[in-house]
Amino acid sequence: MPTITTADGTDIYYNDLGPKDAQPIMFHHGWPLSGDDWDAQMMFFCLQGFRVIAHDRRGHGRSGQTDHGNEMDTYAADVAALTDHLDLKNAVHIGHSTGGGEVAHYVARARPGRVAKAVLIGAVPPIMVKSEANPGGLPIEVFDGFRAALAANRAQFYIDVPSGPFYGFNRPGATVIQGAIDNWWRQGMMGGIKAHYDCIKAFSETDFTEDLKTIDVPVLLMHGEDDQIVPIDDSARIGITLLKHGTLKTYPGLPHGMCTTHADVINPDLLAFITG
C-alpha cells in the first residue's frame, strides 16, 4: 500500500491514479470515512485525464490509528507532507464535510504554486457548534450525543447514520441504496475509535473563519439544501460571505452525501469549475 510517514511517525495511506504529469485533483473525505468515499469522483476524473489522489486521514481507513494529532492543525500538516512528497503543483483540492474543513485549513497555509482552486462540498466551515458568536450553530449536546453513541456501540451508530440523515434515506419516498449504507459502515469500521472520537471535536468546534478569509484562490462551495448533517444556513451561506473569490452552488432537495447519491449531478459541476 502506498503510504508516507509523517514527522510524528504516523503512516498516511493514499491512492494516486492517472497520468503523473496531468493536473492533480486531491480529494479529502468526511468523518468517519476514508478515501474510498470518493470512488465515483476518482473514476470520473481519472477517465477525464486528470491525476487523482485520495488519502485516508490519520486515524481513518488504512492510515495509522493514532491516539494523538486528531485535530485540524495536524490534519493540515499531514496534507502538506503528502503534497510535498508527491510534489503536487497547481492542484485542485476538493473536500467533503470534515474534509472541507481540512481543505480550508490546508489551502490557507499552502505554499505558493501548490493550489490552483478549492471546492468545499457540504463542508463544516466556518464553524458548526452553537455559541454567542454563532447563534445558528448546532448545540454542543448534538456532538456530545455523537460521542456517546460512538463510545457505546460504534458499529450500530455507523449503521444508523448512513441509513438515515447522511444520505437522506429517512425522507419520505427516498430511494434507499443499501450498498451505500454498507460501504459507509465498512469505511467507518476500518478506522480507529479514539481518532474518530477526537475528530468530532475537530469538525464541530474548529473555527475556520480566518482560513476562509485568507484563501486567495477560487473556491466553489457546493451544498445540498436538505443537508441534515451540516445545515446549509450556518455553513455555506455564511462561508460564501467570507471568501475573496467564492462561488456558491446549492442543490434543492439533495442530502449531505450527495457526491454518492447524485454523482451524476455533482461530477459535471465539479468538472465545469475545474476547467472553467
Side-chain angles (χ1 to χ4, degrees), residues 150-227:
L150 186 150
N153 190 336
R154 181 169 64 133
Q156 184 60 50
F157 186 44
Y158 287 0
I159 293 173
D160 295 341
V161 174
S163 297
F166 194 92
Y167 294 119
F169 293 158
N170 57 342
R171 294 307 197 200
T175 299
V176 176
I177 307 170
Q178 188 61 44
I181 297 169
D182 295 344
N183 192 40
W184 204 101
W185 184 90
R186 176 192 69 85
Q187 292 178 71
M189 294 306 294
M190 288 173 66
I193 187 169
K194 178 60 163 59
H196 288 178
Y197 188 95
D198 292 349
C199 188
I200 294 170
K201 181 180 179 66
F203 75 65
S204 64
E205 297 183 42
T206 303
D207 188 344
F208 300 96
T209 299
E210 293 306 315
D211 292 331
L212 296 180
K213 290 179 178 179
T214 300
I215 294 172
D216 284 323
V217 299
V219 180
L220 173 64
L221 301 182
M222 306 171 77
H223 218 106
E225 293 183 11
D226 192 35
D227 191 324

Side-chain angles (χ1 to χ4, degrees), residues 9-75:
T10 301
D11 291 334
I12 303 295
Y13 168 86
Y14 65 94
N15 196 8
D16 184 0
L17 306 175
K20 299 304 178 274
D21 59 349
Q23 184 178 19
I25 304 174
M26 185 167 175
F27 294 94
H28 305 245
H29 64 80
W31 173 93
L33 304 174
S34 74
D36 292 351
D37 202 45
W38 291 107
D39 280 356
Q41 287 70 44
M42 291 280 283
M43 281 302 302
F44 176 85
F45 284 100
C46 186
L47 295 175
Q48 293 286 335
F50 290 90
R51 179 183 183 182
V52 291
I53 302 104
H55 71 300
D56 294 355
R57 186 174 302 113
R58 66 168 53 215
H60 296 65
R62 291 144 291 200
S63 291
Q65 294 192 5
T66 55
D67 64 356
H68 61 279
N70 302 306
E71 32 71 25
M72 282 295 164
D73 287 346
T74 304
Y75 294 160

